[in-house]
């Protein structure tokens, strides 16, 4: 490991480190625009200039210069100071002075670095260059005159998302960043370029002119749009969530987030349930809480009660519902709304055991029944990294564009039992083999054969567990840890024909299967479940309550309350607690803290942030076979949950990016 001296301080740096990284290890801040830790080195903004000896007597770009033994690096010399001032002076030659109306204002790297490293005035008086705006779709607003050609957006699209949709045209002062043929950027991670852009060239179209960053309250939360559990920050003003941004977590989402998770924010204020409704004479009528509770109590259901959990629920709500049904003498609880009935007696058999971070190190991967780009976009980013490192990927299911080299083996799940010889050879030679079973594979009965495959090819070995299931619902693993599932799935609930059905935001259930039951919908949006309900009790969305979530890899994470629910809506657990009083039973808690403490006492893993440990894989059931054509459950990436379906932004994304609908601008 080479030793270098930074401003008189001698430090040891890792082999292969750059001068910029050496300076940061020494605690020195190096300004930069084009350099980003997760992207390739471009070296084209020249802002990170430092003085290095031995070397030419001129400032050098530290991001592209390797750190070598004996270097003397100066970050604060007069030469470096003047060089940085000159770079900023050049960058500002054509940059418009529109900070007061720029959405990047207050969060702008160019603004901040000009303040700290720039000159007090410009010596240039030539006319500024103007660049026409580019259309990048309904999510990204462009003002390309502000662009400083850092190419972060280009490198992200090519290297991380794997979609070559953004590039540079022309040369010199005529250079422009644009999408191919000026079409909309249409991949699932496109809006991450908004966070990467160091100036106001690429900003959020839905958030345009909404607020300044210092006006917003920032709350740490978890994304519930899929089962990846991306760490997010919820920015709110008053009782309204204005935007959602990613948080850095190298174990889960790095610093990316899907477009759906980012832009479903406006769906939190539309189609909201903010008062109690009771269906009378086939029509819903506004009512009081007491009227609804009295109607529920009047059913005299006894123990003939079922609870169905939706895909966005926190663990506390499901635990409260389970305690309520237990007090009533019922065990009719289920979270797999669409009828899946896979074995959940051993959670290691339905978990993403490799972990999201470690799947990058796999060298041979078999994906069975999962459209990963739509079901878990951030997992697809990890798989791209694995392929870059030489991994071979084989996919069983209908074709889709994975953004990396992969071989499709057919649509029939039966292919699983008769894999081509080159696939079995690849697994036989693999050091870190992995299988990933998606929702389509679970429906086709591929879980048992996948377990047999794992045993046959030794997918579990010292320091490596290559058996993985990727879920599509944020609530799924938490529900399974709480035992919120029947052995026979929804079929058991339907067979019991309960008199009272409590729907906890369950919008994907076919409620016509319960013709004689009183259906009570406890949720936050007027979606499919509310349309079928006899009684609607308004509840809180995920941003309006604290909660515990478990992602598809079994990682326990906590979310805080950002805003209050609208109107008469209440937090879900308080509704269930009041319902317990109405039905004359005790469920053992009177506050959220008591609820969480009781839940952790029964399931200790839910009290420790981080990966839960489920033990060894279960043995494969004998004679299990997967049959039939695999079908992916997600038909429209942008409209998979009630919040997303209420979002005007995501409705437009679905119409324009998936279905080819054209939208006229206001002037047209």
């Amino acid at each position: 490991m080479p030793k270098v001296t930074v401003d008189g301080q001698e430090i040891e740096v890792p082999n292969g480190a750059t001068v910029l990284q050496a300076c940061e290890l020494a605690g020195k801040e190096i300004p930069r625009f084009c350099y980003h830790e997760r992207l390739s080195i471009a070296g084209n903004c020249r802002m990170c200039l430092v003085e290095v000896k031995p070397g030419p007597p001129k400032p050098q770009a530290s991001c592209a210069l390797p750190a070598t033994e004996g270097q003397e690096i100066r970050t604060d010399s007069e030469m470096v100071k003047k060089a940085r001032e000159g770079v900023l002076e050049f960058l500002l030659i054509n940059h418009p002075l529109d900070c007061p109306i720029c959405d990047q204002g207050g969060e702008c790297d160019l603004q901040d670095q000009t303040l700290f490293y720039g000159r007090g005035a410009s010596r240039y008086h030539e006319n500024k260059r103007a660049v026409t705006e580019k259309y990048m779709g309904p999510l990204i607003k462009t003002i390309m005159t502000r662009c400083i050609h850092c190419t972060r957006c280009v490198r992200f699209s090519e290297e991380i998302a794997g979609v070559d949709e953004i590039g540079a045209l022309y040369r010199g002062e005529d250079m422009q960043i644009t999408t191919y043929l000026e079409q909309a950027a249409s991949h699932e991670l496109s809006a991450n370029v908004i966070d990467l852009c160091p100036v106001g060239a690429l900003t959020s179209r839905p958030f345009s002119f909404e607020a300044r960053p210092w006006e917003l309250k920032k709350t740490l939360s978890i994304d519930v749009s899929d089962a990846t559990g991306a760490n997010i920050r919820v920015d709110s003003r008053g009782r309204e969530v204005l935007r959602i941004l990613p948080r850095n977590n190298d174990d889960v989402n790095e610093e990316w987030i899907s477009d759906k998770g980012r832009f479903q924010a406006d769906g939190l204020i539309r189609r909201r349930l903010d008062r109690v409704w009771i269906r009378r004479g086939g029509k819903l009528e506004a009512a009081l809480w007491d009227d609804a509770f009295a109607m529920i109590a009047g059913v005299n259901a006894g123990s003939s009660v079922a609870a169905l959990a939706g895909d966005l629920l926190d663990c506390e709500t499901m635990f409260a519902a389970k305690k309520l049904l237990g007090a009533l003498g019922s065990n009719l609880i289920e979270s797999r709304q669409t009828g899946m009935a896979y074995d959940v007696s051993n959670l290691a058999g339905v978990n993403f055991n490799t972990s999201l971070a470690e799947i990058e190190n796999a060298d041979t991967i078999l994906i069975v029944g999962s459209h990963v780009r739509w079901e878990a976009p951030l997992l697809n980013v990890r798989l791209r990294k694995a392929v870059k490192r030489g991994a071979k990927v084989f996919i069983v299911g209908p074709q889709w564009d994975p953004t990396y080299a992969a071989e499709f083996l057919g649509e029939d799940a039966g292919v699983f039992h008769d894999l081509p010889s080159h696939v079995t050879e690849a697994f036989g030679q693999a050091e870190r083999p992995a299988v990933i079973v998606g929702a389509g594979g679970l429906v086709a009965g591929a879980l048992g054969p996948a377990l047999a495959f794992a045993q046959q090819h030794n997918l579990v070995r010292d320091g490596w567990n290559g058996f993985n299931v990727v879920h599509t619902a944020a609530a799924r693993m938490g529900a399974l840890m709480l035992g919120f599932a029947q052995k026979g799935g929804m079929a058991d609930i339907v067979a019991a024909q309960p008199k009272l059905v409590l729907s906890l935001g369950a919008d994907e259930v076919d409620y016509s299967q319960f013709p004689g039951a009183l259906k009570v919908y406890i949720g936050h949006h007027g979606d499919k479940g509310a349309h079928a309900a006899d009684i609607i009790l308004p509840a809180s969305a995920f941003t309006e309550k604290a909660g515990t979530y478990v992602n598809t890899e079994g990682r326990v994470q906590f979310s805080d309350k950002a805003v209050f629910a609208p109107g008469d809506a209440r937090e879900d657990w308080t509704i269930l607690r009041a319902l317990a009083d109405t039905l004359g039973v005790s469920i053992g808690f009177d506050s959220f803290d008591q609820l969480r403490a009781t839940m952790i006492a029964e399931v200790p893993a839910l009290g420790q942030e981080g990966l839960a440990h489920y033990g060894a894989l279960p043995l494969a059931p004998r004679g299990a076979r997967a049959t039939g054509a695999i079908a992916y459950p997600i038909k429209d990436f942008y409209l998979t949950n009630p919040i997303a379906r209420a979002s005007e932004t995501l409705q437009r994304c679905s119409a324009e990016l998936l279905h080819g609908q054209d939208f006229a601008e206001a002037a047209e």
Side-chain angles (χ1 to χ4, degrees):
M1 296 174 67
K3 291 182 179 178
V4 301
T5 303
V6 180
D7 292 342
Q9 175 188 354
E10 186 177 81
I11 61 168
E12 198 172 52
V13 299
N15 292 323
T18 63
V19 169
L20 186 149
Q21 291 168 329
C23 293
E24 291 193 331
L25 285 173
K28 303 295 181 179
E29 180 181 346
I30 303 297
R32 83 290 298 266
F33 293 113
C34 69
Y35 176 80
H36 191 277
E37 291 80 358
R38 302 190 195 279
L39 304 176
S40 62
I41 294 172
N44 54 10
C45 78
R46 319 310 286 178
M47 191 63 213
C48 61
L49 295 173
V50 295
E51 187 178 351
V52 181
K53 296 177 182 178
K58 64 177 184 178
Q60 299 185 65
S62 59
C63 68
L65 185 65
T68 57
E69 182 71 32
Q71 279 179 333
E72 293 183 21
I73 304 166
R74 292 292 304 274
T75 68
D76 55 0
S77 67
E78 189 63 26
M79 178 196 292
V80 171
K81 180 176 180 293
K82 285 188 175 180
R84 290 174 179 172
E85 287 179 353
V87 169
L88 281 168
E89 200 170 2
F90 274 115
L91 289 176
L92 292 171
I93 288 174
N94 287 313
H95 196 83
L97 300 177
D98 57 358
C99 299
I101 61 160
C102 177
D103 280 310
Q104 198 83 351
E107 297 174 316
C108 178
D109 291 353
L110 185 60
Q111 229 177 22
D112 295 341
Q113 292 185 37
T114 301
L115 175 66
F116 283 99
Y117 303 104
R119 297 181 76 252
S122 173
R123 292 171 291 177
Y124 291 89
H125 302 286
E126 289 82 1
N127 293 328
K128 290 181 179 289
R129 179 187 79 146
V131 181
T132 56
E133 310 311 337
K134 315 300 179 187
Y135 183 68
M136 291 193 182
L139 303 179
I140 304 169
K141 178 183 176 183
T142 67
I143 302 181
M144 300 312 290
T145 301
R146 299 171 182 162
C147 180
I148 62 170
H149 305 158
C150 71
T151 68
R152 280 186 181 183
C153 55
V154 177
R155 285 174 285 147
F156 172 83
S157 298
E158 292 180 357
E159 299 164 12
I160 306 297
V163 181
D164 297 336
E165 290 189 337
I166 301 178
L169 298 179
Y170 317 123
R171 300 178 65 187
E173 68 173 356
D174 296 322
M175 179 176 169
Q176 298 182 23
I177 303 294
T178 181
T179 53
Y180 180 63
L181 296 180
E182 298 197 20
Q183 297 297 307
S186 58
H187 58 87
E188 301 77 29
L189 300 166
S190 65
N192 285 289
V193 298
I194 295 170
D195 301 327
L196 287 173
C197 185
V199 295
L202 305 177
T203 56
S204 170
R205 188 179 290 273
F207 184 66
S208 178
F209 304 126
E210 287 290 334
R212 286 299 195 189
W214 54 84
E215 299 177 311
L216 305 175
K217 184 181 82 169
K218 301 165 180 63
T219 308
L220 306 185
S221 188
I222 302 298
D223 176 28
V224 297
S225 65
D226 57 35
T228 309
N231 289 213
I232 60 173
R233 191 186 85 194
V234 176
D235 286 3
S236 58
R237 183 175 59 193
R239 302 183 71 163
E240 183 178 350
V241 173
L242 291 180
R243 68 175 178 179
I244 293 173
L245 297 176
R247 282 189 290 136
N248 201 329
N249 187 328
D250 287 346
D251 293 328
V252 184
N253 59 303
E254 299 177 291
E255 58 188 83
W256 320 124
I257 187 178
S258 73
D259 291 350
K260 179 168 54 178
R262 182 189 298 265
F263 289 109
Q264 65 181 6
D266 66 321
L268 291 164
I269 59 170
R270 293 181 171 85
R271 298 188 192 171
R272 287 303 302 268
L273 300 173
D274 57 0
R275 61 193 305 180
V276 177
W277 298 86
I278 294 177
R279 192 177 300 277
R280 295 189 176 100
K283 292 185 178 181
L284 288 170
E285 298 178 358
L288 301 175
W289 284 95
D290 290 343
D291 297 337
F293 283 166
M295 187 172 173
I296 294 169
V299 175
N300 294 320
S303 62
S304 183
V305 182
L308 309 176
D311 291 344
L312 310 182
L313 280 190
D314 55 295
C315 291
E316 285 82 359
T317 298
M318 291 184 283
F319 181 77
K322 184 180 179 182
K323 295 294 284 185
L324 173 60
L325 264 70
L328 293 170
S330 171
N331 65 348
L332 298 176
I333 52 178
E334 183 54 70
S335 59
R336 297 165 293 179
Q337 303 176 62
T338 53
M340 288 187 283
Y342 47 83
D343 182 17
V344 294
S345 57
N346 185 337
L347 295 188
V350 290
N351 185 51
F352 200 93
N353 296 292
T354 305
S355 84
L356 295 171
E358 277 299 307
I359 196 66
E360 296 177 8
N361 298 318
D363 51 14
T364 306
I365 303 169
L366 175 64
I367 301 173
V368 184
S370 177
H371 188 323
V372 184
R373 273 187 70 177
W374 282 9
E375 294 174 17
L378 299 171
L379 169 60
N380 207 53
V381 170
R382 304 280 191 175
L383 296 179
R384 270 186 57 78
K385 288 188 182 181
V387 172
K388 282 184 176 181
R389 295 173 181 176
K392 298 177 182 177
V393 178
F394 307 98
I395 302 175
V396 179
Q399 292 207 12
W400 48 280
D401 178 13
T403 72
Y404 44 80
E407 180 182 349
F408 283 83
L409 303 177
E411 297 187 15
D412 196 300
V415 173
F416 205 84
H417 304 288
D418 188 22
L419 291 171
S421 59
H422 68 281
V423 177
T424 54
E425 286 174 11
F427 273 91
Q429 298 168 3
E431 295 182 6
R432 294 177 299 278
V435 63
I436 299 175
V437 182
L442 294 174
V443 171
L447 185 60
L451 286 167
F453 182 86
Q455 293 166 12
Q456 177 185 352
H457 293 279
N458 192 25
L459 264 59
V460 181
R461 52 189 76 174
D462 288 343
W464 181 261
N465 186 336
F467 184 82
N468 303 292
V469 174
V470 57
H471 297 287
T472 58
R476 184 72 77 245
M477 283 305 295
L480 299 183
M481 288 177 71
L482 290 167
F484 213 95
Q486 294 286 306
K487 185 175 182 180
M490 280 294 299
D492 286 356
I493 308 287
V494 175
Q497 283 300 302
K499 296 180 181 177
L500 176 63
V501 175
L502 299 178
S503 171
L504 306 170
D507 290 285
E508 315 304 328
V509 174
D510 179 8
Y511 290 99
S512 64
Q513 301 172 102
F514 307 103
L518 180 70
K519 295 176 278 292
V520 180
Y521 182 77
I522 303 173
H524 41 79
H525 276 77
D527 206 76
K528 302 172 186 176
H531 290 189
D534 300 307
I535 298 175
I536 296 174
L537 304 179
S540 299
F542 76 102
T543 55
E544 297 155 4
K545 57 186 173 183
T548 303
Y549 296 91
V550 186
N551 74 351
T552 194
E553 61 177 348
R555 184 178 299 276
V556 179
Q557 302 183 105
F558 305 111
S559 172
D560 293 330
K561 180 176 181 175
V563 294
F564 288 96
D568 291 336
R570 300 289 182 265
E571 293 186 28
D572 309 59
W573 75 268
T574 63
I575 298 173
L576 295 166
R577 176 66 184 81
L579 197 53
D581 286 344
T582 300
L583 298 175
V585 294
S586 173
I587 54 178
F589 54 83
D590 297 310
S591 69
F592 181 79
D593 290 339
Q594 291 177 0
L595 164 60
R596 179 171 275 180
T598 307
M599 179 182 75
I600 293 171
E602 292 197 16
V603 188
L606 290 176
Q608 301 175 1
E609 190 168 18
L611 289 174
H613 299 287
Y614 301 128
L617 283 183
L619 294 175
R622 290 185 178 180
R625 293 191 65 83
T627 57
I630 286 176
Y632 301 130
I634 296 179
K635 307 302 181 187
D636 189 321
F637 168 74
Y638 296 102
L639 306 177
T640 57
N641 64 64
I643 301 175
R645 287 190 284 266
S647 164
E648 290 186 353
T649 302
L650 294 184
Q651 288 174 21
R652 176 163 178 172
C653 286
S654 172
E656 181 175 345
L657 303 181
L658 294 184
H659 303 294
Q661 184 175 340
D662 291 329
F663 285 84
E665 297 297 329
E668 298 173 352

